[in-house]
Amino acid sequence: EVQLVESGGGLVKPGGSLRLSCAASGFTFNNAWMTWVRQAPGKGLEWVGRIKSKTDGGTIDYVAPVKGRFIISRDDSKNTLYLQMNSLRSEDTAVYYCATLGDSSADWGQGTLVTVSS
Amino acid sequence: SYELTQPPSVSVSPGQTARITCSADALTKQYVYWYQQKPGQAPVLVIYKDSERPSGIPERFSGSSSGTTVTLTISGVQAEDEADYYCQSADSSGTFYVFGTGTKVTVL
């Protein structure tokens, strides 16, 4: 059974930093393209970015509002995905999900809440 | 930037058919995926590659595509189908993914 468990969320002041983790199990992590999606309170889903598998080049892409502030990385030896968030703004307040958005299947974690407020 | 537009809400009586559209501002030839999200839960994939249904998803969920509009159809709606639904696709290069604006389905 695929499991994705996010952690690291919490309250942070504007301009601060936070690192989220996503522990994966139940599938071959090093072959998977991993994605971060966020959802602001009461709002829709927003794709944050994706990291390809190393065998597919390891390319990382980001949505425009977070490019230059957020960094996605992975540690295949630990089956873990990361999201380093810097220069946080109030509009980054959201539940952050890690997910595998495949061609014919998708698995999501339960999300971790990040609140940016003074 | 690439955008996918959905109606904010759809209301339907039990047993009737709900149709949710997802309109793109450009033809990208990328597949569309549909997700169901209930309050406090993570999204669940209900349709992939425009019209394919994952195992475990009821047959009443179906997808279709025509031009720059794709449609999720729920035939014989049940109370448990009340949820938010999101389409998802990618830009023409397949690099940047995007979610639709979301549709709240209310079962009357």
Side-chain angles (χ1 to χ4, degrees):
Chain A
E1 179 194 3
V2 172
Q3 281 205 322
L4 298 169
V5 180
E6 302 93 340
S7 60
L11 176 63
V12 61
K13 289 182 168 54
S17 298
L18 208 58
R19 189 177 84 154
L20 306 184
S21 300
C22 171
S25 61
F27 64 102
T28 307
F29 182 79
N30 60 303
N31 287 343
W33 294 18
M34 298 300 299
T35 296
W36 286 100
V37 176
R38 67 183 179 181
Q39 186 170 36
K43 301 298 185 182
L45 301 171
E46 181 179 35
W47 180 82
V48 173
R50 179 213 56 244
I51 183 169
K52 295 183 180 179
S53 64
K54 286 188 169 57
T55 55
D56 287 326
T59 308
I60 308 170
D61 294 291
Y62 302 93
V63 71
V66 310
K67 194 168 185 180
R69 299 188 299 123
F70 289 13
I71 301 171
I72 297 174
S73 62
R74 62 192 298 159
D75 186 335
D76 291 345
S77 69
K78 295 182 178 179
N79 285 359
T80 301
L81 174 72
Y82 300 100
L83 179 64
Q84 176 67 43
M85 302 185 294
N86 302 319
S87 303
L88 282 162
R89 306 166 180 166
S90 58
E91 55 264 36
D92 296 318
T93 294
V95 172
Y96 285 75
Y97 296 98
C98 69
T100 62
L101 304 185
D103 288 343
S104 58
S105 65
D107 293 287
W108 297 65
Q110 281 306 301
T112 187
L113 175 63
V114 172
T115 303
V116 184
S117 175
S118 55
Chain B
S1 63
Y2 184 57
E3 294 184 356
L4 298 173
T5 302
Q6 301 177 230
S9 62
V10 168
S11 297
V12 59
S13 299
Q16 299 303 302
T17 297
R19 293 182 179 85
I20 306 165
T21 56
C22 173
S23 298
D25 57 0
L27 195 61
T28 68
K29 294 185 171 24
Q30 298 290 330
Y31 285 120
V32 173
Y33 298 74
W34 287 95
Y35 293 89
Q36 175 194 69
Q37 186 182 34
K38 295 182 178 180
Q41 298 183 18
V44 172
L45 182 68
V46 294
I47 293 290
Y48 67 93
K49 290 185 178 179
D50 293 350
S51 60
E52 301 296 321
R53 195 172 50 250
S55 61
I57 300 301
E59 291 184 7
R60 63 181 180 272
F61 288 89
S62 64
S64 61
S65 175
S66 178
T68 58
T69 299
V70 291
T71 301
L72 173 68
T73 300
I74 312 173
S75 304
V77 166
Q78 300 184 7
E80 68 203 51
D81 300 330
E82 186 163 285
D84 294 324
Y85 291 83
Y86 296 91
C87 57
Q88 177 259 307
S89 188
D91 69 342
S92 56
S93 69
T95 300
F96 300 98
Y97 291 7
V98 63
F99 286 93
T101 50
T103 298
K104 180 175 182 60
V105 171
T106 300
V107 181
L108 300 172

